[in-house]
Amino acid sequence: MTCHSLSRAKERVGLSQSAAIKFIDNAKLYGKAPEEFPAKERKYMQNLKKEGNVIYFAEYIFILSKDDRCITLYRAPGWFGRKNNFCGKEAIRNKR
């Protein structure tokens, strides 16, 4: 992880230095890749991916370099990871 990612974790998540290190390590272990999401979230994450990897963990998106070092992190948008429920169903099938 970089000094920039540690300072962003402390600033944006409100963690101490040691907690920020654990948070980033847990994100690398348990974070979700773009391929594990539906189309809308997957496209959003793939647009963020430049040369390295992008993962999602605990409502934050982490941008990693090719050698798996955390570059930066920021909060995911409010709609990210939420299903649209209509009358107990995930989507409306036959719109009129």
Side-chain angles (χ1 to χ4, degrees):
M1 66 194 76
T2 61
C3 293
H4 178 78
S5 65
L6 286 175
S7 64
R8 291 299 160 254
K10 292 184 339 188
E11 173 189 333
R12 295 176 180 161
V13 186
L15 301 173
S16 65
Q17 176 113 5
S18 60
I21 292 170
K22 289 179 186 176
F23 185 66
I24 293 171
D25 288 338
N26 283 336
K28 288 180 187 178
L29 289 175
Y30 305 112
K32 286 186 165 186
E35 296 80 27
E36 299 178 41
F37 286 98
K40 185 177 179 183
E41 287 90 351
R42 182 174 51 244
K43 287 178 186 176
Y44 180 79
M45 289 179 75
Q46 287 173 343
N47 286 338
L48 296 175
K49 186 161 78 170
K50 302 276 191 231
E51 296 177 358
N53 297 321
V54 178
I55 56 173
Y56 173 81
F57 178 74
E59 297 184 7
Y60 286 89
I61 294 178
F62 295 78
I63 298 177
L64 307 173
S65 65
K66 287 182 181 180
D67 59 349
D68 206 35
R69 290 176 57 196
C70 183
I71 297 171
T72 190
L73 71 135
Y74 58 93
R75 189 180 261 311
W79 56 265
F80 195 90
R82 307 277 194 271
K83 288 185 179 179
N84 294 329
N85 291 319
F86 303 98
C87 299
K89 298 181 181 179
E90 291 184 8
I92 299 173
R93 292 181 61 176
N94 298 319
K95 293 183 182 179
R96 295 183 189 209

